[in-house]
DNA sequence: TTAGTGATATCC
DNA sequence: GATATCACTAAA
């Protein structure tokens, strides 16, 4: 495998339907008091703007969704069910509320378990994954095949949006 | 199948 | 102000 390259603005500044399937196989790095935690992403989901009824920004700008309108690479971290932190990275052009939910890594399946394993909490909300000294993403050159599937936990969305295969799962590596 | 947990949105 | 909902998980 090649050297460890930090993902730059260009990576995130594409449509979420290009970014989210590119995430499985990449690494997330989080600098903590005890050193750098690094895990390989195995699953991601796309949330694609105000037209996507599954996306939190479907109803437009609110205090919560504000970060989704920020520059690509911005972290959107929020608490779900009072217990689980969800980690997302904003994609697309600034002003376009898209994000990729990082759903799982090889050793922690499920978005809540992933953030727990990486010790990620809401203090990272709004930080920039491109320039932050605390959290960033890396490419070590690993290539992989990715399978599409419907998104999880979005029963509130329209039937059309529920069906979209915008969940991207690492299938195999080469 | 269901409890747990708290921020947020949406309604008075 | 109150209430309903929630991009989930662990336990039963």
């Amino acid at each position: 495998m090649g050297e460890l390259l930090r993902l730059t603005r260009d990576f995130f500044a594409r449509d979420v339907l290009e970014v989210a399937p590119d995430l499985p196989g990449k690494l997330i790095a989080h600098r903590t008091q005890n050193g750098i935690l690094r895990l390989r992403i195995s699953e991601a989901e796309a949330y694609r703007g105000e037209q996507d009824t599954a996306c939190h920004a479907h109803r437009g700008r609110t205090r919560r969704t504000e970060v989704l309108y920020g520059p690509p690479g911005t972290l959107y971290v929020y608490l779900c069910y009072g217990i689980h932190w969800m980690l997302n990275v904003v994609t697309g052009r600034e002003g376009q509320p898209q994000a990729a939910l990082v759903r799982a890594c090889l050793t922690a399946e499920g978005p809540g378990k992933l953030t727990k394993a990486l010790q990620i909490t809401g203090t990272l909300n709004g930080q920039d994954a491109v320039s932050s000294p605390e959290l960033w993403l890396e490419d070590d050159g690993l290539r992989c095949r990715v399978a599409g599937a419907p998104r999880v936990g979005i029963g509130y969305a329209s039937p059309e949006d529920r069906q979209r295969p915008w969940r991207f799962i690492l299938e195999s590596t080469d």
Side-chain angles (χ1 to χ4, degrees):
Chain A
M1 258 167 281
E3 62 184 306
L4 230 46
L5 295 176
R6 180 167 181 160
L7 298 184
T8 59
R9 190 81 56 204
D10 291 346
F11 180 89
F12 302 106
R14 298 175 292 153
D15 191 280
V16 69
L17 293 180
E18 294 183 49
V19 177
D22 263 6
L23 286 176
K26 301 295 187 290
L27 299 161
I28 313 180
H30 183 208
R31 187 186 304 278
T32 71
Q33 290 184 337
N34 299 328
I36 296 175
L37 296 173
R38 194 179 262 109
L39 295 176
R40 183 159 328 259
I41 298 171
S42 61
E43 200 178 318
E45 274 177 4
Y47 289 88
R48 195 161 181 258
E50 294 175 354
Q51 289 72 34
D52 176 7
T53 59
C55 182
H56 285 169
H58 174 232
R59 290 160 202 272
R61 284 183 187 252
T62 64
R63 192 165 72 254
R64 181 202 215 187
T65 61
E66 193 57 34
V67 296
L68 289 170
Y69 293 82
T74 302
L75 298 175
Y76 170 43
V77 185
Y78 71 94
L79 190 63
C80 191
Y81 294 100
I83 308 173
H84 309 291
W85 294 104
M86 301 286 120
L87 173 67
N88 298 251
V89 189
V90 173
T91 70
R93 311 168 77 92
E94 183 163 356
Q96 212 178 15
Q98 300 186 342
L101 167 67
V102 185
R103 270 196 72 80
C105 58
L106 292 179
T107 52
E109 299 220 347
K113 289 161 125 182
L114 178 142
T115 53
K116 186 178 180 191
L118 283 168
Q119 299 174 28
I120 285 168
T121 70
T123 59
L124 290 170
N125 188 41
Q127 282 200 29
D128 177 18
V130 173
S131 61
S132 169
E134 291 184 58
L135 190 135
W136 63 96
L137 285 87
E138 294 167 340
D139 184 355
D140 66 351
L142 183 73
R143 297 277 161 193
C144 34
R145 288 173 53 87
V146 171
R151 292 174 288 181
V152 176
I154 55 160
Y156 55 85
S158 73
E160 299 79 29
D161 286 332
R162 262 181 282 164
Q163 288 178 343
R164 300 186 199 286
W166 289 356
R167 177 188 188 190
F168 301 100
I169 304 166
L170 188 149
E171 205 170 54
S172 62
T173 59
D174 36 71

